[in-house]
Amino acid sequence: EAGVAQSPRYKIIEKRQSVAFWCNPISGHATLYWYQQILGQGPKLLIQFQNNGVVDDSQLPKDRFSAERLKGVDSTLKIQPAKLEDSAVYLCASSLIFIRRRGEGNSPLHFGNGTRLTVT
Amino acid sequence: KNEVEQSPQNLTAQEGEFITINCSYSVGISALHWLQQHPGGGIVSLFMLSSGKKKHGRLIATINIQEKHSSLHITASHPRDSAVYICAVSGSARQLTFGSGTQLTVLP
C-alpha cells in the first residue's frame, strides 16, 4: 500500500512569512495527526482529526497555526506568520481508527517522511 | 517529570551486540508504541503492544503493565540499525505521548 505522503520535503522561509504543508494519509485511514518535532525532542501533537472533525487541538498555537481536513482525506497545516521557533520537522501520521478499549491496543500509526521547516 | 522516560539517551554498540532500550511511563495507557526514526525524519512504527511480548525479526518488545515499563531489544545488532528509537504511549486522553528518543549508533 502507498504510505503517508507529505509535501514539500523541505521549506525555508523568513520570519513573518506564511507556509503551508500538505499530507495525504493512507487510503481508508480515518485518523490523521500533525506533529511538530523540534531537533532533539520527541514529536509533539499539534492536532488530531477523526475523519473531517477535530478530536484534539489543545496544543495547536491557534494564533498562528491552522489545519483543515475538509473532505476527511488529505489535510493542510498552515503557519501564518512564522516565527524562528517554528523551525522543526512537521510530521503527518495516520491510523485506521483510534479505539480505546481495555486490554486492546490502538491501530498502528503510519508516518510520513515529514517536512523540514527552517525559519530564518 | 516527563510522562514517558527513555534510557539511555545515547547508545553506541559494536556490530553483533545485544541492545536494550528502556521506556518507563507514569500514566495509565491503552497501548505502547516503539518507533524508529532514521536521519531525514521518516518514522516507522516497529511495534504496538498492550501486554506481553512481540517479536519481529531481530527485534523484540516487551511490556510490564504493572511496573509501567517496556523494553526494546535488538539481537545481533547491525550498523543499519543505527537510528533514533522512540517510545510513545496512548493514554486516556486519546493522545500519544512521546519519549525524547534514544540515539543508537552501531559501529561496524
Side-chain angles (χ1 to χ4, degrees):
Chain A
E1 62 180 4
V4 176
Q6 284 191 250
S7 67
R9 189 77 176 90
Y10 304 94
K11 189 74 178 177
I12 300 173
I13 62 172
E14 295 181 352
K15 59 183 179 183
R16 289 187 290 272
Q17 285 188 321
S18 301
V19 65
F21 313 128
W22 176 81
C23 172
N24 193 20
I26 291 174
S27 178
H29 279 198
T31 306
L32 184 147
Y33 310 80
W34 281 104
Y35 291 95
Q36 179 194 58
Q37 186 177 25
I38 293 171
L39 187 64
Q41 299 179 17
K44 181 186 92 170
L45 178 69
L46 293 175
I47 190 166
Q48 177 185 340
F49 291 96
Q50 186 80 12
N51 298 309
N52 62 348
V54 175
V55 173
D56 187 339
D57 63 356
S58 56
Q59 297 190 85
L60 187 74
K62 297 181 185 65
D63 57 334
R64 298 183 301 107
F65 286 64
S66 64
E68 58 184 18
R69 193 186 183 198
L70 293 176
K71 296 182 180 178
V73 181
D74 58 343
S75 175
T76 55
L77 175 69
K78 296 178 182 177
I79 307 175
Q80 180 180 11
K83 293 185 176 181
L84 295 176
E85 59 261 35
D86 298 332
S87 295
V89 174
Y90 291 84
L91 293 159
C92 179
S94 70
S95 65
L96 190 60
I97 192 166
F98 197 101
I99 303 170
R100 185 176 68 87
R101 293 182 188 157
R102 183 179 292 277
E104 291 188 15
N106 307 107
S107 298
L109 283 176
H110 298 263
F111 284 85
N113 286 325
T115 296
R116 183 174 296 277
L117 173 68
T118 302
V119 182
T120 62
Chain B
K1 185 180 188 302
N2 292 332
E3 292 181 338
V4 181
E5 297 275 359
Q6 282 187 242
S7 64
Q9 282 189 311
N10 293 282
L11 179 58
T12 300
Q14 289 294 133
E15 183 173 356
E17 285 187 6
F18 180 83
I19 288 164
T20 297
I21 299 170
N22 295 301
C23 176
S24 297
Y25 53 92
S26 57
V27 296
I29 68 168
S30 56
L32 183 142
H33 303 255
W34 280 104
L35 310 168
Q36 180 191 54
Q37 186 171 31
H38 280 282
I43 293 180
V44 173
S45 178
L46 299 174
F47 295 103
M48 181 186 67
L49 63 165
S50 54
S51 64
K53 174 181 174 179
K54 286 190 176 181
K55 184 177 189 294
H56 182 71
R58 296 181 294 107
L59 302 178
I60 303 166
T62 63
I63 187 168
N64 185 318
I65 298 295
Q66 286 73 31
E67 295 185 3
K68 292 188 167 58
H69 181 269
S70 175
S71 293
L72 176 69
H73 305 285
I74 305 176
T75 61
S77 60
H78 191 276
R80 64 175 174 266
D81 296 327
S82 298
V84 175
Y85 291 84
I86 302 172
C87 170
V89 299
S90 309
S92 58
R94 300 203 296 172
Q95 283 186 13
L96 274 177
T97 303
F98 291 81
S100 56
T102 296
Q103 173 69 63
L104 171 66
T105 303
V106 181
L107 302 174

